């Protein structure tokens, strides 16, 4: 447990330092635990350390861990690619926000299911700011159109945007991805679309959270730096086409 607690404190200090360096209030940025492949017993240790915002990439993993964590009442976000045939399942497990709305077909089918169940859902629009074929997300040039279309669906509450930065050690290549998402956020705000808040920017992970915070992130998704290295690098898990 001490190992995970120490890692969490280290990440929180990195976040705080990045906020201060960029004249931001540390309270503006949330830490989301990216728990893909992490077993429930290790997640419980992180929750015991005060971190209750969880993000899973796969519906199957939410299903497997849900009952083991239910007593701790975490806040569950879904951060992976969502297939339309999994929409019915995702609504069974107290998911409060989906970070990966990237196409109108998905939004329409989610809206239909939510209408049927008399529910609403907070969502983020996922933008492929690195424009890599291996990643999902709406193309940046079509993002504003998708936001306007999804805004017409009254069961979906658009809270902001999500992106996955370029997998690179070169800050000069990573930063433009986050700058682009911030720019799309500003353009969307200028449109003043009814019902669209555009408050959240979900971007930045273990290796690039400082850059993301500098460019306006409000949610950083951290897994490896808290739970340890996985079998494969993040680029494998986030390549949803594999």
């Amino acid at each position: 447990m001490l190992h995970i607690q120490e890692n969490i404190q280290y990440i929180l200090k990195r976040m705080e330092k990045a906020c201060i360096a960029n004249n931001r209030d540390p309270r503006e940025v949330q830490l989301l635990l990216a728990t893909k492949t992490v077993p429930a017993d290790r997640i419980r240790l992180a929750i015991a350390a005060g971190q209750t915002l969880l993000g899973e990439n796969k519906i199957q993993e939410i299903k497997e861990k849900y009952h083991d964590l239910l007593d701790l009442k975490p806040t569950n976000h879904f951060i992976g690619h969502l297939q339309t045939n999994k929409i019915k399942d995702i609504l069974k497990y107290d998911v409060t926000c989906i970070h990966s709305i990237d196409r109108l077909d998905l939004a329409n089918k989610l809206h239909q299911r939510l209408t049927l169940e008399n529910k609403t859902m907070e969502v983020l629009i996922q933008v492929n700011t690195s424009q890599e074929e291996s990643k999902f997300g709406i193309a940046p040039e079509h993002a504003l159109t998708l936001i306007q279309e999804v805004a017409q669906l009254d069961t979906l509450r658009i809270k902001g945007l999500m992106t996955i930065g370029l997998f690179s050690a070169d800050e000069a290549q990573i930063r433009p991805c986050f700058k682009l998402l911030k720019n799309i956020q500003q353009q969307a705000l200028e449109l003043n679309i009814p019902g669209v808040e555009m408050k959240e920017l979900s971007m930045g992970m273990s290796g690039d959270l400082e850059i993301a915070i500098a460019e306006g992130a409000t949610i950083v998704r951290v897994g490896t730096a808290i739970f340890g290295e996985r079998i494969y690098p993040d680029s494998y898990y986030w390549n949803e086409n594999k």
Side-chain angles (χ1 to χ4, degrees):
M1 180 174 179
L2 188 60
H3 179 67
I4 289 176
Q5 283 183 326
E6 287 177 345
N7 290 346
I8 288 172
Q9 289 307 310
Y10 172 65
I11 290 297
L12 291 175
K13 280 184 168 51
R14 282 176 59 189
M15 291 169 62
E16 181 181 27
K17 186 176 179 181
C19 286
I20 291 169
N22 292 281
N23 297 311
R24 297 190 60 193
D25 185 341
R27 291 173 296 185
E28 293 177 359
V29 187
Q30 297 183 81
L31 172 59
L32 178 148
L33 304 179
T35 51
K36 54 184 178 284
T37 77
V38 180
D41 59 338
R42 289 178 61 75
I43 298 171
R44 289 184 72 89
L45 297 178
I47 295 173
Q51 300 304 312
T52 59
L53 180 57
L54 311 181
E56 286 285 0
N57 285 64
K58 304 291 184 185
I59 300 294
Q60 185 60 32
E61 284 204 56
I62 293 178
K63 183 178 179 181
E64 290 169 357
K65 303 171 194 177
Y66 176 74
H67 291 290
D68 289 335
L69 300 172
L70 189 59
D71 62 305
L72 298 180
K73 298 182 176 162
T75 300
N76 297 309
H77 286 195
F78 186 76
I79 60 176
H81 178 66
L82 180 59
Q83 297 172 314
T84 54
N85 65 349
K86 299 293 186 181
I87 287 171
K88 185 177 178 180
D89 291 332
I90 204 171
L91 299 184
K92 297 176 183 177
Y93 300 107
D94 299 332
V95 170
T96 61
C97 182
I98 297 171
H99 289 221
S100 49
I101 300 300
D102 61 356
R103 58 203 188 280
L104 186 58
D105 174 59
L106 172 63
N108 277 325
K109 289 184 174 168
L110 179 58
H111 168 66
Q112 290 167 11
R113 189 71 205 182
L114 288 164
T115 301
L116 190 64
E117 297 191 19
N118 195 27
K119 294 179 179 178
T120 60
M121 178 69 71
E122 294 184 357
V123 299
L124 305 182
I125 303 299
Q126 182 178 355
V127 184
N128 185 356
T129 56
S130 66
Q131 303 190 52
E132 296 170 276
E133 289 185 8
S134 62
K135 290 177 182 167
F136 285 105
I138 188 74
E141 62 270 25
H142 300 308
L144 292 174
T145 298
L146 181 61
I147 292 165
Q148 291 172 304
E149 291 170 337
V150 175
Q152 301 300 311
L153 307 174
D154 60 9
T155 63
L156 303 183
R157 309 279 189 250
I158 300 178
K159 296 296 181 179
L161 306 171
M162 185 270 256
T163 199
I164 302 162
L166 190 71
F167 293 119
S168 171
D170 185 354
E171 180 179 329
Q173 292 188 3
I174 300 168
R175 190 177 292 274
C177 299
F178 300 147
K179 278 186 175 293
L180 179 54
L181 199 72
K182 181 67 175 179
N183 185 47
I184 293 169
Q185 179 197 42
Q186 293 303 316
Q187 291 179 59
L189 286 169
E190 289 171 10
L191 292 174
N192 198 26
I193 306 164
V196 175
E197 286 190 15
M198 256 326 116
K199 176 186 173 185
E200 306 292 354
L201 289 181
S202 172
M203 59 187 191
M205 297 191 287
S206 295
D208 56 17
L209 66 86
E210 285 88 356
I211 305 169
I213 288 172
E215 298 302 332
T218 64
I219 300 171
V220 293
R221 310 178 302 268
V222 181
T224 301
I226 290 173
F227 298 108
E229 293 291 337
R230 300 182 179 89
I231 298 173
Y232 301 108
D234 272 348
S235 56
Y236 176 87
Y237 293 102
W238 285 97
N239 183 343
E240 303 288 1
N241 291 325
K242 285 190 177 181

